[in-house]
């Protein structure tokens, strides 16, 4: 059967189908929460206006951002206080994500799921390469070290052979004695020369006076010198100290041993950094609890000092903004600017709710109650001003007054009269 012509179209349609990308919190606060990641930028953080909210104390308001374009998914840290981690490694720049990557934001661990795949693909196995040698065993450092060791051993062996073995075999003469060849004989004029026939020499004539014999020193005939040997006699070798044999240098460490040693150092360093990070995180959490407690008791300035000294910058900034908004509201109220005072008080009240959100007791803070009472009184004044002109607006302002302080007796009494008159 001939293949169908629709096969190419079907494959193209399958390859161009949309990819579903999801983030799921698999550990820490908010475990089990899952959300789709659309195209474009997705903000992650503790703030309520984040696209993916990670509600824990260690996460920043705007902690990190995920950029998705087609199949490319990139994670960028947004300058968070505690840092962003991918597979237990802190990221310093834009990081490309894959299916199954683990993202740590504060105390929460998130898993990236792509088309239902939530496990990381295994890394390809790499062949162990000896950094001291190349692929064919030549040209590397180990090759030249072996050649150098061989050369040194050959020189040492030649020195031993030249100093000890060759002189004993008579191949070379290391002595400095004089030759044994005697000096040539000294001839004398008075020595009689024998005749060729062997007869004694003729005596002088009888009529001539006999010569007076003179004492002459006769030099004995020198013995015949032996034929010189082509090799001089070997003089006894003087004892010499044995040369010090320099041991060859130890072979270089193998690549496996170097890798194990470096891996051990890296592992120990990583454990030490993780221990310091955990201790710092515990100390920071303890200081944050102490700062929140001081704030709840109304000691705002002291709470800011504790938070700044312990490195809890986000909490110190929130408390500082609260104090700034409350001061601006008081200033506006003193200048009879009720609308502006209400606006600043509401900003302070919202900041108080964020600061107290981590307190699980449900009790309100002293600064929050103070701001709430001020807002309740301002809305009460606005409601009383509209009692005769606009009953609807007056009722709205009185209800807002009770929202901020349910114990405001004047607001409750005015609202009850207004509703009875209707």
């Amino acid at each position: 059967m001939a293949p169908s012509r629709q096969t190419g179209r079907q494959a193209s349609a399958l390859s161009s189908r949309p990819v579903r990308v999801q983030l799921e919190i698999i550990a820490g606060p908010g475990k089990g929460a899952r959300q789709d990641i659309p195209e474009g930028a997705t903000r992650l953080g503790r703030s309520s206006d984040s696209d993916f909210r990670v509600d824990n104390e260690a996460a920043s308001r705007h902690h990190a951002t995920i950029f998705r374009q087609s199949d490319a998914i990139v994670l960028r840290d947004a300058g968070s206080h505690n840092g962003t981690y991918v597979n237990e490694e802190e990221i310093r720049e834009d990081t490309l994500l894959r299916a199954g990557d683990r993202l740590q934001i504060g105390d929460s661990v998130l898993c990236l799921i792509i088309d239902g795949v939530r496990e990381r693909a295994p890394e390809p196995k790499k062949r162990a390469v000896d950094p001291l040698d190349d692929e064919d065993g030549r040209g590397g450092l180990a090759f030249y070290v072996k050649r150098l060791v061989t050369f040194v051993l050959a020189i040492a062996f030649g020195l031993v052979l030249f100093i000890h073995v060759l002189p004993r075999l008579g191949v070379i003469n290391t002595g400095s004695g004089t030759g044994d060849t005697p000096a040539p004989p000294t001839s004398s004029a008075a020595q009689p020369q024998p005749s060729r026939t062997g007869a004694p020499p003729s005596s002088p004539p009888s009529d001539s006076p006999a010569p007076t014999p003179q004492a002459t020193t006769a030099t004995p005939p020198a013995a015949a010198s032996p034929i010189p040997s082509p090799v001089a006699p070997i003089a006894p070798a003087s004892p010499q100290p044995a040369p010090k044999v320099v041991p060859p240098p130890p072979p270089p460490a193998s690549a496996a041993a170097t890798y194990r040693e470096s891996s051990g150092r890296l592992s120990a360093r990583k454990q030490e950094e993780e221990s310091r990070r955990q201790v710092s995180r515990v100390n920071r959490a303890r200081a944050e609890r102490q700062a929140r407690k001081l704030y709840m008791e109304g000691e705002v300035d002291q709470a800011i000092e504790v938070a700044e000294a312990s490195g809890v910058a986000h909490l110190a900034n929130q408390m500082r903004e609260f104090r700034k908004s409350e001061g601006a509201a008081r200033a506006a109220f003193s200048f009879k600017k009720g609308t502006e005072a209400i606006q600043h008080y509401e900003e302070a009240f919202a900041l108080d709710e964020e600061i107290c959100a981590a307190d699980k007791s449900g009790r309100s803070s002293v600064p929050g109650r103070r701001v709430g009472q001020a807002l309740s009184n301002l809305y009460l004044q606005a409601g009383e001003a509209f009692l005769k002109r606009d009953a609807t607006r007056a009722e709205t302002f009185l209800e807002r007054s009770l929202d901020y302080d349910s114990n405001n007796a004047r607001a409750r009494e005015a609202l009850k009269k207004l509703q009875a008159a209707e």
Side-chain angles (χ1 to χ4, degrees):
M1 180 181 295
S4 174
R5 297 183 180 180
Q6 300 296 328
T7 304
R9 297 180 182 176
Q10 294 173 358
S12 176
L14 289 175
S15 61
S16 61
R17 66 181 180 83
V19 177
R20 186 177 186 185
V21 180
Q22 295 176 303
L23 269 183
E24 181 181 355
I25 301 179
I26 60 175
K31 180 179 179 181
R34 181 187 295 188
Q35 183 175 326
D36 290 341
I37 304 300
E39 295 279 346
T42 301
R43 294 185 302 175
L44 289 74
R46 184 171 47 83
S47 176
S48 58
D49 60 349
S50 298
D51 300 319
F52 189 101
R53 189 174 183 187
V54 183
D55 191 7
N56 62 72
E57 297 179 1
S60 300
R61 291 173 57 83
H62 298 293
H63 198 102
T65 305
I66 291 181
F67 299 93
R68 178 187 173 191
Q69 183 177 4
S70 185
D71 294 341
I73 304 172
V74 177
L75 177 65
R76 176 186 299 171
D77 183 75
S80 62
H81 183 72
N82 293 325
T84 304
Y85 295 81
V86 175
N87 299 324
E88 299 182 359
E89 295 290 338
E90 186 174 3
I91 63 173
R92 302 292 184 182
E93 55 188 10
D94 291 358
T95 302
L96 187 64
L97 300 180
R98 298 187 304 167
D101 282 344
R102 265 53 174 177
L103 287 61
Q104 183 174 354
I105 297 180
D107 295 331
S108 299
V109 179
L110 296 78
C111 176
L112 183 68
I113 305 173
I114 301 179
D115 280 347
V117 179
R118 57 192 305 149
E119 297 295 335
R120 286 177 53 84
E123 297 288 344
K125 293 185 178 180
K126 297 182 180 180
R127 181 175 63 90
V129 179
D130 191 347
L132 303 180
D133 206 349
D134 57 2
E135 294 181 358
D136 56 356
R138 294 180 175 272
L141 182 59
F143 175 76
Y144 290 106
V145 170
K146 294 178 183 177
R147 294 287 296 273
L148 178 62
V149 172
T150 304
F151 181 74
V152 171
L153 292 177
I155 291 179
F157 178 78
L159 289 176
V160 173
L161 185 67
F162 181 81
I163 294 175
H164 293 282
V165 178
L166 294 182
R168 294 183 182 278
L169 295 178
V171 178
I172 60 173
N173 181 19
T174 58
S176 59
T178 58
D180 296 332
T181 304
T186 303
S187 60
S188 176
Q191 184 175 359
Q193 299 291 333
S195 63
R196 295 185 177 180
T197 59
S202 57
S203 59
S206 56
D207 54 355
S208 60
T212 304
Q214 296 180 359
T216 59
T217 304
T219 302
S225 62
I227 300 175
S229 173
V231 179
I234 301 175
S238 60
Q240 297 182 2
K244 296 182 179 180
V245 180
V246 180
S254 64
T258 305
Y259 175 76
R260 286 194 298 269
E261 183 179 356
S262 61
S263 299
R265 289 197 299 267
L266 289 175
S267 178
R269 188 181 309 164
K270 186 175 180 181
Q271 292 177 359
E272 183 179 356
E273 291 178 355
E274 182 63 24
S275 299
R276 282 201 302 268
R277 193 179 297 113
Q278 290 179 357
V279 172
S280 176
R281 191 176 301 168
V282 170
N283 293 337
R284 193 161 51 243
R286 185 182 297 113
E288 185 172 354
R289 288 193 299 269
Q290 183 181 0
R292 291 183 191 277
K293 181 180 178 182
L294 290 172
Y295 174 84
M296 298 287 286
E297 295 173 354
E299 303 293 337
V300 181
D301 294 336
Q302 188 176 357
I304 293 175
E305 293 178 1
V306 172
E308 287 181 342
S310 305
V312 192
H314 67 282
L315 183 59
N317 292 333
Q318 287 178 338
M319 295 179 181
R320 196 179 293 109
E321 290 294 328
F322 170 84
R323 187 176 58 183
K324 180 179 178 181
S325 298
E326 187 181 16
R330 290 177 179 175
F333 181 77
S334 63
F335 286 103
K336 307 300 182 181
K337 298 179 180 179
T339 304
E340 185 177 347
I342 288 176
Q343 180 181 356
H344 288 301
Y345 270 130
E346 286 182 342
E347 292 176 358
F349 194 83
L351 288 169
D352 177 78
E353 287 184 340
E354 291 187 5
I355 296 173
C356 299
D359 189 13
K360 307 301 181 182
S361 63
R363 58 192 177 94
S364 59
S365 65
V366 172
R369 289 196 300 269
R370 183 173 63 236
V371 171
Q373 290 173 0
L375 276 170
S376 179
N377 291 331
L378 285 172
Y379 277 116
L380 173 62
Q381 294 177 13
E384 289 176 345
F386 281 96
L387 279 175
K388 297 180 180 180
R389 290 183 295 171
D390 190 344
T392 303
R393 296 187 66 181
E395 184 178 2
T396 302
F397 287 137
L398 292 174
E399 288 177 351
R400 294 293 300 273
S401 175
L402 292 175
D403 288 339
Y404 286 105
D405 184 9
S406 59
N407 297 323
N408 194 329
R410 284 180 55 190
R412 185 181 297 106
E413 186 66 25
L415 182 60
K416 186 183 298 183
K417 290 181 180 180
L418 182 62
Q419 291 175 351
E422 294 177 355

